[in-house]
Amino acid sequence: MSQALKVSLTRRYRFAASHRLFRPNFSEGENQRIYGKCSNPYGHGHNYSLEVTVSGTVDPATGMIANLGDLDPFVDREVVQAFDQKYLNQEVSEFREAVPTAENICREIYRRLKPFPPARLERVRLQETSNNSFEFDGEIGERDERAPQGTGQP
Amino acid sequence: MIRVTRKIEFSAAHFYHNPSFSAEENRRVFGKCNNPHGHGHNYVLEVTVAGEPDPDTGMVLDLKELKDILQREVGERMDHRHLNYEVPELAGQIPTCENIAQVIWRLLEPKIAKGKLDRVRLWESPDLYADCTAQSSGEGV
């Protein structure tokens, strides 16, 4: 009996969007201290790169975990069309409440993609710039209850 | 434990066709990948071996040795080949990224003498890759 293998497939998508990191219930000084230049009032944007990883059984008839003919239009409809060339704070309803940090965008993308029918969503990885990236696999850890530590860095 | 990754590239042709599907079904399922003349990719293969460094050499395994294994087992079999016709290990399978990655795992796994094969990552294009790992015990698919 040969060793059981686990196979996953990762596909990259891209979207460009603007956002502003601020909390309306914080003072301007507090927003500046916590979010730094990411809190500038007119917002700013990024070219986001999104990696979507799915796993599951490789169908012997197709050789595929998921047909890109299904995955691509699903991600396009659920995420790319909704986020691309948008001001996330105002044009994506979830970010009228939640601050559109890459962490929160990552979780929102995971929530939107989780129902993809033919395969199991393993992970989403969101690259905001070439220097920072964020991953979410659906696991909720314990929240760090310490006060937010503003770094002033976007 | 340390994970060591070595990369090689190979270029190959393939197309997707299931002989038990009708022509129409092949086109519907596989789209333009069903074009019978085939098409090709510059594949990038990243192979990760995990283990403890040998105290004498400071190495998990000799990367030159790993490079030779990758060249012999994968490069010589697949580089500048048509995956549907020229790679017996893929016979009867659709040569998707998922299937090629599994074939590569099974070719390499017995050849890694020091450390353990940890992951095979096969990039078909800069926007698509498959990962193959050993399924941990009790893990359902």
Side-chain angles (χ1 to χ4, degrees), chain A residues 45-94:
Chain A
H46 300 285
N47 294 323
Y48 289 93
S49 160
L50 168 67
E51 288 175 25
V52 176
T53 301
V54 293
S55 68
T57 311
V58 178
D59 182 343
T62 62
M64 297 171 179
I65 293 171
N67 195 327
L68 295 180
D70 299 323
L71 184 63
D72 287 354
F74 183 79
V75 176
D76 188 63
R77 190 178 69 237
E78 296 298 325
V79 177
V80 178
Q81 294 294 332
F83 291 14
D84 191 34
Q85 314 289 324
K86 297 282 172 71
Y87 180 45
L88 299 175
N89 299 60
Q90 281 181 13
E91 295 183 272
V92 176
S93 59
E94 287 78 7

Side-chain angles (χ1 to χ4, degrees), chain B residues 71-82:
Chain B
Q71 189 50 38
R72 199 167 53 239
E73 298 300 326
V74 181
E76 284 175 24
R77 266 189 183 80
M78 301 187 186
D79 189 35
H80 286 76
R81 299 288 178 185
H82 196 302

Side-chain angles (χ1 to χ4, degrees), chain A residues 2-12 14 51 53 56-58 60-68 123, chain B residues 16 18 21 29-30 94 96-99 102 105-106 109 123 126-135 139 141:
Chain A
S2 58
Q3 187 178 23
L5 300 179
K6 178 175 179 177
V7 187
S8 68
L9 189 73
T10 300
R11 178 76 152 159
R12 192 203 312 259
R14 293 174 178 81
E51 288 175 25
T53 301
T57 311
V58 178
T62 62
M64 297 171 179
I65 293 171
N67 195 327
L68 295 180
R123 181 177 69 239
Chain B
Y16 297 167
N18 185 331
F21 290 171
V29 173
F30 298 124
I94 316 285
T96 57
C97 225
E98 292 96 313
N99 276 338
Q102 290 184 88
W105 176 285
R106 295 199 194 284
E109 204 268 335
W123 295 80
D127 291 339
L128 184 71
Y129 65 79
D131 273 348
C132 185
T133 55
Q135 195 167 301
E139 188 175 18
V141 180

Side-chain angles (χ1 to χ4, degrees), chain B residues 2-4 49-54 57-62 114-115:
Chain B
I2 301 287
R3 289 188 170 86
V4 181
V49 175
E52 294 298 333
D54 182 321
T57 63
M59 299 173 183
V60 174
L61 81 171
D62 186 337
K114 294 187 95 180

